[in-house]
Amino acid sequence: MDEGSSRIRRRVSVRKRNRPSLEILLAAPTADELKPGEDEKAEEEEEEMGAGSPRRKTVGVQPVENNDSEEDMFGDYDSFAENSLIAQVDDLEQKYMQLPENKKHDTDLATEDLCSENIRHNQLSITTIGSFTELKTDEHTKNQSGHEDISIEPGADLLYELPSSQVLYFENLQNSSNELGNQSTKERDWNSSSHKTVSEELPQNSIEQPQQNDEFSSKVRTSSDVNRRKSLKDHLKSAMTVNAKAQMPIFSRTKQLKETHLSEEINVAKKAIESSSDDVGPFYSLPSKVRDLYVQFKGIEKLYEWQHTCLTLTSVQERKNLIYSLPTSGGKTLVAEILMLQELLCRRKDVLMILPYVAIVQEKISGLSSFGIELGFFVEEYAGSKGKFPPIKRREKKSLYIATIEKGHGLVNSLIETGRISSLGLVVVDELHMIAEGSRGAVLEMTLAKILYTSKTTQIIGMSATLNNVEDLQEFLQAEYYTSQFRPVELKEYLKINDAIYEVDSKAENGMTFSRLLNYKYSDALKKMDPDHLVALVTEVIPNNSCLVFCPTKKNCENVAEMICKFLSKDYLKHREKEKQEVIKNLKSISSGNLCPVLKRTIPLGVAYHHSGLMSDERKLLEEAYSTGVLCLLTCTSTLAAGVNLPARRVILRAPYVAKEFLKRSQYKQMIGRAGRAGIDSVGESILILQEKDKQQALELISRPLENCYSHLVQEFTKGIQTLFLSLIGLKIATHLGDIYHFMSGTLFGVQQKILLKEKSLWEITVESLRYLTEKGLLQKDTILTENGLTQKDASYKSEEWFQYSFHITKLGRASFKGTIDLAYCDILYRDLQKGLEGLVLESLLHLIYLTTPYDMASQCDPDWMIYFKQFNQLSPAEQNVAALVGVSENYIGKKVSGQAIKKTVDKDIVNRLYLSFVLYALLKETSIWSVSEKFNMPRGYIQSLLTAAATFSCCVLHFCEGRAKQLYNAGYKSLAHLANANPEVLIKTIDHLSRRQAKQIVSSAKMLLHEKAEALQGEVEELLRLPADFPPVEKA
């Protein structure tokens, strides 16, 4: 039987892959383990294998060749004739059927129950591993001494070369042959108490002498046996025919070699980075493949000289924190990317990259994902509602987290909480000057301060084009500083006053020198429509070159785009006409056939507007069209300057204002920095259009230094220092007053305290903030007996009672911290949720939508009262009940419409929040942003932003409520069904701080939701079972 089985194995010719050896699965006993009298039989088998058999009989085993051709899987035995593989299977099965009745049952199980036999096979193969190792060692010893030639099984990787169905077949076939072969084998002793013998795994009655088989060879098989044998034969024939025709996966030898080479280069790069050598490796301590990928994906063949200098700085080699500053378009990002790849590939650490806006995060995700695929690391997005906290912990591949400022803060918090902050090897902050931008700057400062305080191994890299007081930032980040004035394309700055254009010249007396007069013939109509000569300025460069026109407001962007198009020649229509029609077609396809009427008129002429009023998909399409030259002119707001990288030959500033505020130097530098396209233009131009009244202020603008970066940690009270203290205590970074004060001393605010604090000291600010949080019920004081943490300079405040306390976070505080809720709204949210628990209206989704409408957007909302009144009147009675429950009446809305005086005080934020809830509710019902935009007279981009903000806030509310949810879950109430069947009295005893009324509300709400779910499922079942209305009629015979 062993001989028949081996014949089958050696007749299968297949391609080799890197798989576990078949010898482990098919290990045979050694010569010493054979029974007396069987040595001769084994020698005969070896002689047979040596005579014309594909099996090799040598001391040095020849490797199986790689076969990349479409070779027949069965080699020369590809027919179903008498000498075919199927015939051998047939013979094998006949021997099965000759077994006695008490053994046939086991064989039937092996044939019929593949899954059970497969498990059984695994047991057998595991027990043979130790023996196989001994066998291999013995064989090696014998070969070394030349005593004996050993015949090695060919195709050591055989099982893994076959389709899965055949692998399963051969596994079970081998099990069966082992059963029969073991009938002629003594019970084996493996010389190890930790391994069972093969015969112990088999039924005892299977261990018989082979002579016993002859006693049953003349027995007549029943018709059922014959049918079953035929059935199995047909099944095998069918399955193996299909598998023989199936296309085997081809693994490129070249690709395997490339991957091996990359792995070797990474190992070399690791050693180079760890050593103190100046050798920068193939590509700055990175594999040469990284250099090839930059050529392939980004067309970068050589680094600028400043980039090389920066990457080879001693401070960078020693992994010190670094701040570097260059003009816009200087190539800052490439340096950061190379440092990130070093951390991911060579040091095997995770990396966090913090970017200011969602659009830039998505652009960077798109640009680096291809590198992640090729080099073997994950690129994860943390923006909007995306991102998992804490991030998934990966064993092998490392992760590059690309996050907005807020999401980056949440990510760092989660890593600190789970004790994984040391896994973060590098943090890169783009647009570091954002640290001075209001509440977002405060969040960025908190994030960096926590990293500095909790991890001594995490490197921080900050970059910006607009930094001034770098010394403060250096002290805060404990960083080195590098700067250069390099620009790949020269930038020339101009000012336009009336018809004259002046070049900015710092050496001139008044900061500018006359350049030229505009030479463009204006009609009277054109002068009235275009007093600033925009048409003349843009037609000097378009359509062959690109131009950006920055406007103060969104409405002004649209008006300027339309105005310019009215006076452009019809020749502009012919420029890349087909591509522009394709852009229009794509815009319609993403908007369900809708198209902005302004864009419909301007795109054929190569002009479009770009601002936050557009949906994100619309902006992406227009950006792509502009980048490829299909559109040659964009009218845009200042946000484009800080957003995606869209350079232009000429940049025009329509006015020195952003909305109604005069330009800051940093804003001006960012806008004009878009002028000049590397590799395309030899020079870039910026033109600032001025009125006489703004001339003096503008001259100061272009000559003064950049604004300083100052901390907003205390200025943004609820989003700044209070949130920081709550998270410090919640994460147990610092719980004692002295520790908290020490932490504050290391922030940017602590560095700048002498400048920012005039009346109070940092100690007083710290104590006052902690007192406020305690009074609000977010923190609780614990008395301590020591004065640890107080420094000598604090001696004057030892009379304060507060030095005696440490702090711990309350449940409300933890909910606010976990949900990242603005502390100005946490008590309001808690009150709203409590009110909702007492009387949640489930007849419609309006109440739930109201609870997840963000508070901050409500405070900025200005409702259209006529639309508000109209929408209010269309509410159902249940929905009007929601309005009454939150405190907004129809009478109040009606008086606002008519302009009547209102005596009763109503919270404006609640009224505005309900209005935004109507917008979200309409969006839920109608699904089209365009129709909702028209109904509420709101920009579709604003509605999309509202939707994104609501999704993010709903996640915050979810985390805010997790405390009670976790209590219920830990108490065993793990599903809606558990709660629906709960006893309120038991809930009160089980869950802390749960009132009887709340317990009843939870149970009744769960029952109602469960009932609604059951009805929905029932309706779905009925719908599935119902005969379709358009079912074709059955023709009668």
Side-chain angles (χ1 to χ4, degrees), residues 161-228:
E161 300 298 330
L162 301 176
S164 58
S165 57
Q166 284 185 236
V167 171
L168 196 61
Y169 162 68
F170 277 115
E171 286 176 349
N172 287 283
L173 181 63
Q174 176 59 23
N175 289 338
S176 303
S177 65
N178 281 345
E179 288 182 12
L180 294 175
N182 285 333
Q183 294 173 18
S184 61
T185 305
K186 287 183 177 181
E187 185 168 337
R188 296 174 184 173
D189 181 11
W190 297 98
N191 299 322
S192 172
S193 60
S194 60
H195 294 287
K196 290 184 179 180
T197 63
V198 175
S199 56
E200 285 174 345
E201 296 290 336
L202 296 171
Q204 185 64 33
N205 61 1
S206 299
I207 306 172
E208 302 281 349
Q209 296 297 325
Q211 288 82 354
Q212 288 177 315
N213 290 341
D214 295 335
E215 298 176 14
F216 303 100
S217 60
S218 60
K219 285 192 176 184
V220 180
R221 288 171 292 186
T222 62
S223 60
S224 62
D225 292 336
V226 176
N227 291 337
R228 180 157 46 79

Side-chain angles (χ1 to χ4, degrees), residues 485-503:
Q485 294 304 313
F486 172 81
R487 269 187 64 92
V489 178
E490 182 188 359
L491 173 62
K492 291 186 177 180
E493 298 177 46
Y494 296 97
L495 303 176
K496 178 193 165 295
I497 305 171
N498 298 322
D499 292 343
I501 294 179
Y502 300 87
E503 185 173 357

Side-chain angles (χ1 to χ4, degrees), residues 756-771:
L756 300 176
L757 294 177
K758 302 297 182 183
E759 299 176 358
K760 296 179 181 179
S761 68
L762 180 60
W763 175 266
E764 289 175 308
I765 293 287
T766 304
V767 170
E768 283 184 7
S769 299
L770 289 169
R771 181 184 288 118

